[in-house]
Amino acid sequence: MAPSSAATRSQTRKMADRPMVRRQLILVIASITTSTAVGLAQADAPKPQHGLAMHGRPALPPTFTHLPYVNPDAPKGGRLTLGLQGSFDSLNPYLPRGVAPTGVRGYVHESLMARSGAEPFTLYGLLAESVEVPDDRSWIIFNIRPEARFADGKPVTSADVVFSHALLKRDAVPFMRSHYSKVLAVDALGPRRVRFQFSATGDREIALIIGLMPILPKHATTREAFRKTSLTPPLGSGPYRVASVDAGRSISYKRNADYWGRKLPIRRGHFNFDEIRIEFFRDSTAVFSAFRTGAADVRVEKDPNRWSGGYDFPAVNDGRVIREVLPTALPDGMRAIVMNGRREVFRDTRVRRALITLFDFDWINRTLFNGLYARSASYFARSDLAALGQPASPGERALLKPFQKFVKPPVLEGTWRPPQSDGSGNDRVALRQAYGLLQMAGYRIRDGRMVHTSDGRQLRMTFLARTKAEERIMLAYQSSLKRLGIELSIRQVDAAQYWERLKTFDYDMIQWRYPTSLSPGNEQINRWASSHADIDGSLTYAGTRNPAVDAMINAMLTATSRNAFEDAVRAFDRVLISGDYVIPLYHPPAVWIAYWSRIMRPGTLPLAGIALETWWAKPGK
């Protein structure tokens, strides 16, 4: 007869009391528990995907054959020559010292993923064939393509990715160190599989930023060599190699015929020139002369006067040079005169507001620029992200509620506009308004000089100029300031001294442009965050320390939907506008471009209007 259930339970308890049996039971239970956990984890594990969008899903399916704004059958060959103003003394674009030429990042060094110029912020696999990422983006796994190779033929591995992150996190420019420090751990899960674990900040953009991290060859890079500025051509996995260098004057990139990724959908129709040569010139006049004579192939024009009157030469008239105004869907960002808030003279917001009031844009635009510029007033000008002209949404108001004192009511309600003048160059209303603000800040005019009543010091500042064009604008501004007894000195320095002084914030005022995209994010930390105000080499040129700015940046990074993200960006825009940190300048309403007819472009445009990496040489030219 079978024993009763009670007897069975008693016998089981007695057996479990024996040490050997107890250990075996523990192992069995642990095995069952582990198997169940693994099964659940596998069931919940994110599946590999071909792309990653900041919000929503990538627009292109896994089967896409090329990006929508390229000519997938563009012929290869020929040379593209570009003329740029400036110089260079290093081929390492990642160090906080030295000036590197454009092209090393992109032509020579690649990243795990590549950006589509047809979407606000979407990446598709490049060195990585797929990614795995959970909904909260607390980690990401990259699966490296087996065919990915450096130019010397050695494979790109997870060891190169781990090495690159560690090197850039320690020694690169501040914004890279800031971005990559958000990684808690990097683990090579295999030769072609690497996992990044992120800090628990809710930053949804950091996964994409890691996808764009340049990957350097561990076998050909040492930390000691990396930390030195050098003109030694770097090794990368990209479509070009550095072919020749004339320090400070020119650099040539030659297309790698054995480039491993030339047939990838993300690369098809790209990098069509056999050679890309970049010539450097001291000033913009020399750059334009090079283009006019045919020594350079393409010119994106920034000077409205030259655009309206400088292109009357034979090559334009007979069609050898093509001029186009290309539409762009990207925000221009803020072009401005930046006031260094670390300086005593700019610490009073009433002084900053008075200086903004005294900048006569209407007169300057008419007399210097033929009226072709539009006024910049938003940090996301020319896009739907701008907060101008519309009241704050409920989402914005919720974000800004704890920081009401940092936002001007007219800015919140969408009624604020930058100061306008009568265009005469001597607007007495503007002078009175500015003087009223200065009086509240403790200044008075005495003997024709604007002085502070406490100690008699004159209100004076120095503008650090980089170009003659900047100097010309400031000379016009100087005359407006002089009417109120404000002294503005203008000092032009060479490129090397200019960049060195910017790195240590050794200036009163500079002219700067804050470029942006339809998906602003972590780069704003390096420009505006309080935590970066004292980091030499950062881009916090205004020296802002504003908790509302910091909070809005965090809101942008943690937004889980496009609507929430746009609310955060517009709220951020309202806080910056309210802070009066810069004197807004202007922006072109479209892209002004001219190019010699020996090169060609695709018929479909990216959001930016141009993408030179998709252009090609006309066969036989």
Side-chain angles (χ1 to χ4, degrees):
M1 187 174 75
S4 68
S5 58
T8 302
R9 288 195 296 270
S10 175
Q11 185 176 4
T12 301
R13 282 195 298 269
K14 291 179 180 179
M15 292 178 63
D17 288 337
R18 299 174 187 175
M20 179 68 72
V21 175
R22 185 166 60 248
R23 284 195 296 271
Q24 289 175 340
L25 284 172
I26 291 172
L27 290 174
V28 169
I29 293 170
S31 175
I32 294 171
T33 302
T34 301
S35 299
T36 302
V38 169
L40 290 172
Q42 289 175 343
D44 294 338
K47 296 179 180 179
Q49 54 193 62
H50 70 296
L52 185 63
M54 181 64 189
H55 300 105
R57 297 181 179 278
L60 300 178
T63 56
F64 82 96
T65 58
H66 58 82
L67 294 176
Y69 53 90
V70 307
N71 174 5
D73 301 315
K76 307 293 185 184
R79 180 172 75 182
L80 175 69
T81 302
L82 303 174
L84 298 179
Q85 182 179 345
S87 183
F88 68 95
D89 57 12
S90 172
L91 295 186
N92 187 339
Y94 313 115
L95 290 180
R97 58 189 173 278
V99 179
T102 186
V104 175
R105 174 69 181 93
Y107 293 158
V108 178
H109 291 147
E110 291 184 308
S111 48
L112 292 161
M113 307 185 81
R115 193 166 188 159
S116 167
E119 301 172 57
F121 195 7
T122 298
L123 307 183
Y124 295 94
L126 180 54
L127 289 171
E129 62 184 351
S130 64
V131 298
E132 301 162 38
V133 60
D135 290 340
D136 65 2
R137 297 193 183 176
S138 58
W139 54 266
I140 188 170
I141 291 174
F142 297 94
N143 299 302
I144 302 171
R145 297 181 191 272
E147 67 269 30
R149 292 287 186 277
F150 291 106
D152 63 358
K154 294 192 178 296
V156 178
T157 68
S158 55
D160 298 303
V161 178
V162 175
F163 169 79
S164 298
H165 172 264
L167 188 64
L168 296 168
K169 180 180 177 180
R170 286 192 304 254
D171 300 315
V173 291
F175 79 87
M176 283 188 161
R177 296 201 302 267
S178 174
H179 293 344
Y180 303 151
S181 66
K182 294 186 176 183
V183 176
L184 291 180
V186 188
D187 298 302
L189 305 181
R192 295 187 291 107
R193 187 170 163 85
V194 61
R195 184 180 190 271
F196 288 81
Q197 176 73 43
F198 304 123
S199 55
T201 62
D203 183 344
R204 296 180 58 79
E205 188 188 39
I206 191 62
L208 287 87
I209 287 176
I210 294 299
L212 292 175
M213 181 179 71
I215 305 303
L216 311 176
K218 182 180 180 181
H219 67 277
T221 310
T222 65
R223 186 183 183 195
E224 181 181 7
F226 178 84
R227 297 177 69 184
K228 298 177 180 177
T229 58
S230 171
L231 293 173
T232 301
L235 175 68
S237 63
Y240 289 90
R241 307 180 193 216
V242 175
S244 64
V245 177
D246 185 354
R249 296 182 178 180
S250 68
I251 183 170
S252 289
Y253 301 93
K254 288 287 184 69
R255 191 161 59 87
N256 181 3
D258 297 322
Y259 172 49
W260 72 274
R262 61 189 179 276
K263 295 182 180 180
L264 293 178
I266 193 67
R267 287 306 201 204
R268 192 172 173 189
H270 288 72
F271 308 115
N272 302 308
F273 296 98
D274 283 344
E275 179 184 1
I276 298 177
R277 181 176 178 82
I278 303 175
E279 300 276 358
F280 291 85
F281 300 90
R282 181 177 295 275
D283 55 50
S284 61
T285 300
V287 177
F288 181 66
S289 295
F291 173 74
R292 180 171 176 157
T293 60
D297 293 309
V298 181
R299 178 172 177 81
V300 177
E301 187 56 72
K302 304 295 185 181
D303 184 344
N305 292 321
R306 186 177 285 126
W307 183 250
S308 62
Y311 284 80
D312 185 18
F313 54 91
V316 174
N317 298 331
D318 63 22
R320 286 177 294 150
V321 167
I322 300 169
R323 296 177 69 213
E324 292 187 306
V325 177
L326 300 180
T328 174
L330 293 190
D332 184 76
M334 174 63 79
R335 299 169 192 254
I337 300 167
V338 181
M339 296 171 278
N340 186 354
R342 302 169 184 84
R343 298 287 206 246
E344 179 68 29
V345 66
F346 299 124
R347 289 182 182 172
D348 193 317
T349 185
R350 293 166 296 189
V351 173
R352 301 198 302 269
R353 201 177 310 156
L355 294 173
I356 293 170
T357 302
L358 289 169
F359 185 82
D360 194 339
F361 165 77
D362 300 281
W363 176 67
I364 289 174
N365 190 36
R366 179 174 56 83
T367 58
L368 298 185
F369 304 124
N370 289 310
L372 291 182
Y373 276 137
R375 183 73 189 270
S376 294
S378 163
Y379 288 78
F380 305 96
R382 210 175 55 192
S383 81
D384 292 338
L385 296 177
L388 291 180
Q390 55 181 318
S393 68
E396 291 178 66
R397 293 176 188 272
L399 289 171
L400 294 170
K401 186 175 181 179
F403 308 101
Q404 294 181 35
K405 68 177 182 179
F406 295 101
V407 185
K408 299 175 185 176
V411 176
L412 188 68
E413 298 304 328
T415 58
W416 179 88
R417 290 291 184 276
Q420 289 183 309
S421 75
D422 59 12
S424 67
N426 187 26
D427 190 324
R428 294 185 178 276
V429 174
L431 290 172
R432 285 196 297 270
Q433 290 174 343
Y435 189 35
L437 288 166
L438 292 172
Q439 285 179 311
M440 287 189 286
Y443 287 91
R444 298 292 186 276
I445 296 178
R446 293 178 182 171
D447 300 323
R449 299 163 66 243
M450 184 68 69
V451 299
H452 201 278
T453 55
S454 63
D455 54 14
R457 71 182 186 278
Q458 185 179 11
L459 181 55
R460 56 161 60 105
M461 60 219 67
T462 300
F463 177 83
L464 194 64
R466 178 176 39 164
T467 66
K468 291 291 185 183
E470 290 182 359
E471 186 175 1
R472 184 173 61 152
I473 295 166
M474 296 308 290
L475 285 170
Y477 186 37
Q478 186 183 59
S479 66
S480 296
L481 297 177
K482 192 174 182 178
R483 291 185 176 89
L484 282 184
I486 302 170
E487 181 180 319
L488 172 64
S489 301
I490 303 168
R491 182 180 179 187
Q492 187 169 350
V493 296
D494 61 41
Q497 185 181 357
Y498 179 84
W499 293 113
E500 195 59 39
R501 291 185 64 172
L502 259 61
K503 288 176 183 178
T504 57
F505 312 117
D506 183 18
Y507 53 84
D508 291 342
M509 305 172 88
I510 59 170
Q511 183 176 326
W512 193 252
R513 175 180 173 240
Y514 297 94
T516 189
S517 70
L518 291 172
S519 185
N522 273 276
E523 76 283 353
Q524 305 300 331
I525 297 174
N526 193 45
R527 298 173 183 178
W528 301 105
S530 304
S531 59
H532 281 53
D534 293 326
I535 299 178
D536 286 358
S538 74
L539 303 184
T540 53
Y541 294 140
T544 49
R545 297 179 183 276
N546 185 329
V549 168
D550 300 333
M552 296 311 108
I553 293 174
N554 183 66
M556 285 191 286
L557 298 177
T558 56
T560 58
S561 70
R562 185 68 190 180
N563 286 341
F565 174 75
E566 291 182 356
D567 281 342
V569 175
R570 293 192 190 102
F572 176 63
D573 196 24
R574 295 183 200 276
V575 173
L576 290 181
I577 292 170
S578 299
D580 295 316
Y581 300 117
V582 303
I583 301 170
L585 293 178
Y586 38 72
H587 61 270
V591 177
W592 301 324
I593 190 167
Y595 55 95
W596 286 78
S597 59
R598 56 180 173 260
I599 64 172
M600 303 183 71
R601 68 168 181 84
T604 303
L605 301 177
L607 292 173
I610 56 172
L612 288 180
E613 65 271 19
T614 67
W615 293 34
W616 65 92
K618 184 180 293 185
K621 298 293 184 181

